[in-house]
Amino acid sequence: MPKIRKAIFPVAGLGTRFLPATKAMPKEMLPVVDRPLIQHVVDEARGAGIEHFIFVTGRNKSVIEDHFDRQFELEVTLNERGKKNDLALLSHDLPEAGSASFTRQQSPLGLGHAVWCARELVGREPFALLLPDVLVQHDPGCLAQMIAAAGALEERANIVAVEEVPKDRVHMYGVVGVGPSKGKAFGITQMVEKPKAADAPSNLAITGRYILQPEIFDVLEKQSTGAGGEIQLTDAMLALAKSQPFYGLKFEGRSFDCGSKIGFLAANMSYALERDDLSAAMREEMQRLMGGK
Ligand code: G1P
């Protein structure tokens, strides 16, 4: 497979599950410890060798664009105060000039439509898609694992990250049917968006990371609405699977659904526990809260 250079980040969602926190602030800017959700996901993409970051934004999302730009006044003040570490952190996180692009999804028509909005920026090459609601805590990151697995597959393969979920939660995800294994991946025989437990082809849910071929844009252009009255990426993938191979990869690492309050809170605890500067104090606080001390 050719090198995956570009990644799409759909960040147009309203974030109603986090109101009122998300009334004036995009949900993608909610912090997990001290980095916004979107920064964690961009870090994962960078770690996988992505060179161009494409954000599909919406109204009220301009602070995401500001976040990936320089903050001149802040830099001057930090410099005057000799805060070298903070300055180094900001410059490390800054995407290279010209490597971030922003386009708007003008109407909330669904994930499939959001991806289609990026077609001109991606062009005709395979690309990665990362949903910022999902964090995967692992080194190497989930996308890096997928790109490594892609090396063993044919040129025009599509890959989705999957993980097991309890049967009573399959209705919240896209769910795949499992075919024969190939290297670390397996062939996908079926894909259904938000199935009832009885109709689900397995308990393997799509986990918000994809490597897709550009032909998905041609399918999305004509895709009619599916589950929830939205243009669903999963439906377009199922249509593309008639002419191109699709694989699933059970990645290593723990995933957090940061679109839910519990997933978001758990991510904060887990990422704090992994930090050298916070781990011991975090453990103490958690023990105290649990009544241990
Ligand atoms: C989207 C996808 C779904 C996938 C999920 C992962 O759903 O449509 O296939 O399983 O992300 O988080 P959403 O969570 O946007 O409803």
Side-chain angles (χ1 to χ4, degrees), residues 128-181:
L129 166 66
L130 298 95
L131 309 189
D133 272 356
V134 182
L135 291 189
V136 178
Q137 195 177 23
H138 194 268
D139 187 17
C142 183
L143 184 62
Q145 295 175 45
M146 293 168 76
I147 288 177
L153 302 171
E154 49 273 54
E155 279 277 286
R156 306 195 64 69
N158 300 268
I159 310 176
V160 298
V162 297
E163 70 178 339
E164 286 178 18
V165 296
K167 266 272 173 194
D168 63 353
R169 291 172 62 87
V170 289
H171 68 278
M172 300 164 68
Y173 300 97
V175 179
V176 303
V178 182
S181 299

Side-chain angles (χ1 to χ4, degrees), residues 111 131 134 172-174 193-194 206-208 210 232 234:
L111 176 61
L131 309 189
V134 182
M172 300 164 68
Y173 300 97
E193 183 65 18
K194 309 213 163 58
I206 301 174
T207 321
Y210 312 72
Q232 293 292 353
T234 306

